[in-house]
Amino acid sequence: MADRRLMSDSGFRCMALIHDNPLRRIFDNPIKTLKAAGIQTGQQVLEVGCGPGFFTIAAAKLVGDNGFIHAIDLHPLAIKMVEEKLRKASLTNVKARIANAANTGLPAESIDLVLLFGVIHALPLEEVLPELYRVLRPGGAVVVQTFSGRSAGRTAKGGLFTFIGKEGRVFKFRKETSDYSGP
Ligand SMILES: C[S@@+](CC[C@H](N)C(=O)[O-])C[C@H]1O[C@@H](n2cnc3c(N)ncnc32)[C@H](O)[C@@H]1O
């Protein structure tokens, strides 16, 4: 039986036309947005709902050879499109795979930064936030890109993450632990 959470292939292709449109770069430059998110060379990054990979390639370049992007999406077409882009760009520091944000399969405390770009509205946060908390190292961050401050603010509900700032449409939250004393 088809997975009801998934868009049809044609629905996904329509979404991809909008989200991966070259014109989007005019008002949403991926490098600028990722820098606003605080991405750094050498980081392990989890990109949730990578879609057709509008941010994935830029993220891979920004983390460099010592960093890694774990790009996940529920939709098989997303993974196919990202893999095609990776081949064209000869990038090897990204693994794109089908996974649900509520069950990433990643080891505990293995991730520095989680990107929730254009996806928070679609996530069951009561299941997803504990999983993101599990995979993030102490002091790691969840960064949300959305038009709505109210929906971004849902990240802090439940007390696993603390809002630490906003730049444009990018809202940043830090995983807080009792023994964490970093910046
Ligand atoms: C609107 S697209 C955004 C794509 C990309 N992040 C961007 O900003 O261009 C949202 C994507 O999130 C995926 N998605 C939705 N729920 C998800 C979940 N629970 N786990 C992983 N991916 C999910 C969808 O399949 C879709 O590809």
Side-chain angles (χ1 to χ4, degrees), residues 5-7 12 15-16 18-20 24 28 47-56 72-79 97-104 115-124 128 145:
R5 293 166 305 185
L6 284 187
M7 275 180 250
F12 186 88
M15 183 280 288
I18 297 164
H19 280 262
D20 209 21
R24 181 177 175 188
D28 189 9
E47 185 187 11
V48 171
C50 57
F54 181 77
F55 291 103
T56 316
I72 63 167
D73 202 289
L74 289 175
H75 207 293
L77 270 181
I79 305 309
R97 64 186 169 84
I98 297 175
N100 189 328
N103 183 15
T104 64
L115 307 178
L116 299 184
F117 285 1
V119 70
I120 194 163
H121 61 279
L123 298 177
V128 171
Q145 190 201 41

Side-chain angles (χ1 to χ4, degrees), residues 16-30 33 54-55 85 169:
L17 275 178
I18 297 164
H19 280 262
D20 209 21
N21 190 308
L23 292 176
R24 181 177 175 188
R25 287 167 198 279
I26 296 168
F27 60 90
D28 189 9
N29 179 299
T33 301
F54 181 77
F55 291 103
K85 285 184 174 176
R169 292 200 291 121

